[in-house]
Amino acid sequence: MIIKNNIWKIFYLLSVVAISLLVAFLYFNYKEINERHSTQVEYYTQIVANSIEVDFMQKEVLLSVIGERVFREYKSNSKAKIEELFNLLLKHNPYLVSLGLADASGQVLIASSNVEKKDINFMQSDKTSYDFKRSLSSAHMVVSRTYYFKDIGEWIIPLRKAIRDDDGNILGVIVAGMKNSKNSNYLDALDLSQNKTVVVLKDFDNKGEMYRLYYSKQDSSHKELYEKPVDKELLSHVKENFYSKYGYSIEELREAPKTVSLFVDNPLVGHNVAGLVYNKKYKLWISVGGDAKEIKEEFFRESSLHILMSILTFIVFFILFRSVVLSEKQKDRELVYQVQHDTLTNLPNRIYMYKNIKEYKELHNDKYFILYLDLDNFKNINDKFGHTAGDAILIEVANRLNIFFNEDDMIVRQGGDEFIIFVGNIDKKELEIKIQDLISYISKIYHIKKRDFRVGVSIGISECPKDAQNIEELLSLADTAMYQAKKIKNSYSFFTEEMRSLNAFRADVEHELRGAIESCELWMAYQPQINADETLYGVEALVRWQNEKLGFVPPDKFIYVAEESGLMKELGEFIIQTSLREIGELQKELNLSFSLSINISVVQLMEADFLPNLLKIIAKENFDRSSLTLEITESLSIESLDDVLPILYDIQEHDIQISLDDFGTGYSSLSILRELPIDELKIDKSFIDKILYDESEKILVESIINIGKNFHMKTLAEGVECIEQVNELKRSKCDIFQGYYYSKPLSKEDLKKFLRKG
């Protein structure tokens, strides 16, 4: 009896402890789910807010550039050219549906051809007059209230940008309309969860009313959504909830914008958890919300499972030991599977490959091919549409590979968007046919979340035992062949001896480069940079290498080798020290002051002691820091920004200029400009080459120059080779010129002669 009572006491005690733990768990689980949903909507809201601001900034730059050109044409009575320009811009900007030019009184002077009624005055309509007046007094583009534009049969978001002369007088207003119909607004393209609602509100107007600018769940009529102001009771409810949660008013949030979240009872969508942020520049409230019922549903779903598990645990307590043993065995099997397989695609990984390669080789008598696959265009999709879309594509690629190849073939996910396939029992001609079919199969459309995507695949192939026998060497050779195929895209390439020679050349470059500085094989050349008034602005330092074994080696053949082989630190210090010393000597000897630009790679910037070493060299050479410019390339990846930004700001704080090289060749230039502390934009030679005969390239260069001016940056054109290019660039108000028209890169002595000619 005593033993039995003790058992019940123990059972009771265990029950109380278990129930207490369960209650505590449920409480904290509910709190965690609540916080997770709040954080999620804040995250989505910030994504949407950033997207809106970047898009409106791009539209503002576009309207500024259009405005300057339109008024030049309008002064010369070229209305037909203006209308043609408007139509061309609408064709290449699918989210814009109308463009026009109005005077300061609101009267439309000229509009795109799709606007039937040209006699429009924005000051005569209650819907347009308030924001039109705002545009006359604002330095920024004004985003106006959504309305239905009968002439083009579209609901539009109007944009107004006043164009001023050099004295600040208003020349007129460029007006544009953005689509706001279902599935045609650019915000509909954002990759958000289907149950999320995006709302953009215009701040209070002169009547103290707030209107919806955009609403993603356009189930109600557009009139209901956009022509009626937001219910004042709802606004009051939001203010009260906000103050209750954060302890300060929503008006204070307007003055110091940050992303917040709160629970709202919205008559359109019911009880909602929503993120909220204010865009001060364009006077907009942005919100992304989701149904608050999901929190309770998720909690009850998880809670039910835990309660059920607790009950089952008590029921099966007497067989616990056996269950634990069986469970552990199953876990071991799952763990082994997880260790040897990719968690996303469930394909075997490299661990599996190395564990099973011996068996595979024996099965195929050491005769097989290795296919190294890398997806084309995947990074752009992943960056633009997010990892959710990217992961879905990778899963579908894995499924297609499993369908396409036999059980005897080994499919391995290398990592990222790379896959390795082992193929045996096939001759080379059959394999080529199979690979062509594979490329066609992989390139078929991917239907992901009601979107269609296309990716290609570049394939490199090595053969065992013809090319090598060691698995690591075979993988390396297949990788080399893949990079050769990557130059063409959506193609394949077998490893060749020529590729081996290229690898050998790279090895020779690395070997010879290690002694190049000590052997005095490296020297610096300098290409002059000329101001628009034909005076000297500065020079760019360019490293040169003449090797006894390799001959003259261009920088593009050895800089990347230096970066990959760990030689960039030594090479970079040589370039900096030599350039500062030689230019400092010339400045002192000729009593001249001019700028020196030095190219810096990301590898150099990421060195922990880069800036301290740079400052030491500057002090040693007694060089004026304000005359030094460091050039970084626009190919700097978005992923590197977090690491590089603090370094660049430190550099700028020491009065050293920063230039962005090859501007316009990347895919996220405006994003980079907003993040980086840039003093100068260098326009890539590939654009300058075409400005005399390609109107679109000319407009692009003008836009880059205007972007530079809008961001208060100098603009420098590279590769200027003739007077016609110079004149065209001067008309576009480019600041600085560099190229063979003025001078090729010069040695120190030749530069001295050039400077003396003056």
Side-chain angles (χ1 to χ4, degrees), residues 29-45 195-196 245 260-263 272-275 288-299 301-302:
N29 189 41
Y30 181 80
K31 189 175 181 181
E32 190 272 334
I33 292 172
N34 203 332
E35 291 175 355
R36 186 176 352 122
H37 279 259
S38 297
T39 302
Q40 184 187 62
V41 294
E42 289 179 14
Y43 172 72
Y44 279 138
T45 300
N195 59 351
K196 294 293 182 290
K245 181 174 181 179
V260 298
S261 61
L262 63 160
F263 288 87
N272 211 27
V273 56
V288 177
D291 194 342
K293 288 190 295 185
E294 292 182 3
I295 297 175
K296 292 182 179 179
E297 289 172 358
E298 185 175 340
F299 171 72
R301 187 167 58 249
E302 292 187 8

Side-chain angles (χ1 to χ4, degrees), residues 528-531 533-539 580 582-597 622-629 655 657 751 754-756 758:
Q529 299 170 333
I530 308 300
N531 286 312
D533 62 2
E534 299 298 320
T535 59
L536 177 69
Y537 171 76
V539 296
L580 292 179
E582 291 186 348
I583 296 303
E585 290 171 353
L586 280 180
Q587 289 178 337
K588 186 176 181 180
E589 181 180 346
L590 302 177
N591 194 26
L592 285 176
S593 178
F594 54 89
S595 174
L596 168 64
S597 291
N622 196 25
F623 196 87
D624 181 9
R625 287 186 291 190
S626 63
S627 297
L628 178 61
T629 299
D655 297 327
Q657 302 270 307
L751 177 62
F754 178 89
L755 295 175
R756 279 178 170 162

Side-chain angles (χ1 to χ4, degrees), residues 200-475:
V200 183
L201 303 174
K202 264 185 56 58
D203 210 351
F204 293 107
D205 61 10
N206 57 326
K207 297 180 180 179
E209 293 178 330
M210 186 179 289
Y211 287 85
R212 296 179 186 88
L213 191 75
Y214 170 81
Y215 191 84
S216 64
K217 304 284 188 185
Q218 296 182 5
D219 301 324
S220 305
S221 70
H222 283 73
K223 276 195 170 187
E224 183 75 19
L225 288 174
Y226 299 126
E227 292 194 350
K228 289 186 177 181
V230 178
D231 185 66
K232 290 186 178 180
E233 289 187 10
L234 174 60
L235 295 178
S236 177
H237 172 66
V238 170
K239 289 180 179 180
E240 290 174 4
N241 281 10
F242 180 82
Y243 187 83
S244 175
K245 181 174 181 179
Y246 291 100
Y248 60 95
S249 71
I250 205 163
E251 285 75 16
E252 292 176 85
L253 179 65
R254 183 189 285 111
E255 296 304 316
K258 68 175 184 178
T259 307
V260 298
S261 61
L262 63 160
F263 288 87
V264 180
D265 290 319
N266 189 331
L268 288 176
V269 294
H271 192 48
N272 211 27
V273 56
L276 183 67
V277 68
Y278 183 68
N279 186 298
K280 201 170 183 179
K281 183 174 183 180
Y282 297 109
K283 303 188 183 307
L284 304 173
W285 291 98
I286 297 108
S287 175
V288 177
D291 194 342
K293 288 190 295 185
E294 292 182 3
I295 297 175
K296 292 182 179 179
E297 289 172 358
E298 185 175 340
F299 171 72
F300 286 127
R301 187 167 58 249
E302 292 187 8
S303 299
S304 299
L305 179 63
H306 286 292
I307 292 171
L308 179 61
M309 290 300 295
S310 298
I311 294 172
L312 290 175
T313 300
F314 281 109
I315 294 173
V316 300
F317 188 75
F318 69 97
I319 57 169
L320 179 61
F321 182 80
R322 182 172 178 272
S323 298
V324 169
V325 171
L326 293 175
S327 175
E328 288 301 317
K329 287 183 178 180
Q330 179 62 25
K331 286 181 181 179
D332 287 343
R333 286 194 294 270
E334 290 176 357
L335 184 59
V336 170
Y337 182 87
Q338 290 172 5
V339 168
Q340 295 185 1
H341 288 76
D342 174 55
T343 55
L344 177 66
T345 63
N346 283 326
L347 289 177
N349 58 22
R350 288 177 67 94
I351 296 174
Y352 178 94
M353 179 185 73
Y354 286 120
K355 183 175 180 61
N356 292 275
I357 187 61
K358 184 178 179 181
E359 181 181 344
Y360 182 88
K361 290 168 70 174
E362 290 175 353
L363 181 65
H364 294 88
N365 297 319
D366 283 344
K367 292 181 181 180
Y368 56 90
F369 293 91
I370 291 182
L371 281 56
Y372 204 115
L373 282 64
D374 184 271
L375 300 181
D376 301 328
N377 194 41
F378 177 78
K379 185 178 185 302
N380 289 341
I381 293 173
N382 212 32
D383 291 342
K384 185 175 181 181
F385 297 97
H387 292 292
T388 302
D391 288 350
I393 289 173
L394 289 175
I395 292 169
E396 177 58 25
V397 169
N399 291 337
R400 294 186 187 185
L401 291 175
N402 277 323
I403 293 170
F404 187 84
F405 288 99
N406 302 322
E407 292 183 0
D408 289 342
D409 302 323
M410 188 193 303
I411 307 170
V412 176
R413 186 184 178 198
Q414 162 74 358
D417 59 345
E418 295 180 339
F419 300 85
I420 299 168
I421 318 291
F422 290 75
V423 181
N425 300 323
I426 191 170
D427 63 35
K428 189 172 180 179
K429 289 185 179 179
E430 286 182 60
L431 180 64
E432 288 195 64
I433 296 172
K434 190 178 182 75
I435 289 174
Q436 290 168 0
D437 292 340
L438 173 62
I439 291 174
S440 299
Y441 188 39
I442 295 295
S443 302
K444 287 182 179 180
I445 293 175
Y446 293 78
H447 304 287
I448 308 295
K449 288 189 175 180
K450 298 183 180 180
R451 292 185 179 279
D452 291 342
F453 298 98
R454 286 188 181 274
V455 296
V457 62
S458 298
I459 304 175
I461 309 107
S462 62
E463 181 181 354
C464 179
K466 176 178 171 289
D467 297 325
Q469 293 184 344
N470 178 272
I471 183 64
E472 288 295 346
E473 187 176 357
L474 284 166
L475 287 171

Side-chain angles (χ1 to χ4, degrees), residues 683-691 717-720 725 729:
I683 307 172
D684 190 67
K685 181 182 185 298
S686 61
F687 299 123
I688 305 303
D689 289 341
K690 302 174 185 176
I691 60 172
E718 293 183 298
V720 178
Q725 290 175 334
L729 289 164

Side-chain angles (χ1 to χ4, degrees), residues 40-71:
Q40 184 187 62
V41 294
E42 289 179 14
Y43 172 72
Y44 279 138
T45 300
Q46 192 60 55
I47 289 176
V48 173
N50 290 344
S51 176
I52 289 173
E53 181 163 5
V54 169
D55 184 75
F56 282 156
M57 283 180 65
Q58 291 173 336
K59 295 294 187 298
E60 184 170 355
V61 171
L62 178 63
L63 293 187
S64 297
V65 173
I66 295 171
E68 293 178 8
R69 179 167 178 180
V70 162
F71 278 105

